[in-house]
Amino acid sequence: MRPASLLVGLSTVAAAAAFTAAPAHADAPGLVDGSITAAGTTCSWTNATTSDSPPNTLTIDRTTISLSCSGSVAVSIGANPTVSFNDANGTATATSIVVTATVFGVQCGYTVNNASATRDGTTRTYNGGPYTATKTSGGFLCPSSETINSAKFVFH
């Protein structure tokens, strides 16, 4: 059983990514869709609220990330991810992504630090991975680290 495998992807996301600041409210909020794949499981969401729009540094409101995962895994984001953009390099980076995955009643917490993703051309679609998520909580059934194979974020 690898309960931690699924929880890592959301962060980056979220992304990532991504993600310990309090939610900020700016004049130009936006939205972000995303998906993360780890250990053969994909978790995705649509229309999470952001505090601003790229290329400005923004915070993703974790309470608006409603993750849907394949299989019997439940994943939640533990903090609001903050994402900064470097348009000259075509990258987006989340300093810290905190996630919790629950599989068959076992909870495992993980953090991904400095997760970077590359922009697709001139769009606001970013792809990244693989990332290593380090265990921050959970018992002996939780691996000490997990690999997030890929992540995709679309800011709109």
Side-chain angles (χ1 to χ4, degrees), residues 50-149:
T50 64
S51 63
D52 209 332
S53 297
N56 299 319
T57 297
L58 57 84
T59 300
I60 302 170
D61 181 353
R62 71 178 179 86
T63 65
T64 64
I65 299 173
S66 180
L67 293 167
S68 174
C69 299
S70 60
S72 59
V73 176
V75 179
S76 62
I77 303 296
N80 296 318
T82 298
V83 181
S84 59
F85 300 87
N86 182 327
D87 274 0
N89 290 335
T91 59
T93 302
T95 54
S96 177
I97 302 170
V98 178
V99 295
T100 299
T102 304
V103 179
F104 303 117
V106 176
Q107 282 191 341
C108 302
Y110 291 85
T111 299
V112 175
N113 292 310
N114 299 315
S116 183
T118 304
R119 186 176 61 211
D120 184 10
T122 58
T123 70
R124 287 297 173 190
T125 298
Y126 294 83
N127 294 288
Y131 306 109
T132 298
T134 304
K135 183 173 97 171
T136 57
S137 65
F140 70 94
L141 292 176
C142 301
S144 60
S145 67
E146 282 293 335
T147 298
I148 298 172
N149 302 97

Side-chain angles (χ1 to χ4, degrees), residues 19-30:
F19 313 141
T20 57
H25 301 286
D27 293 332

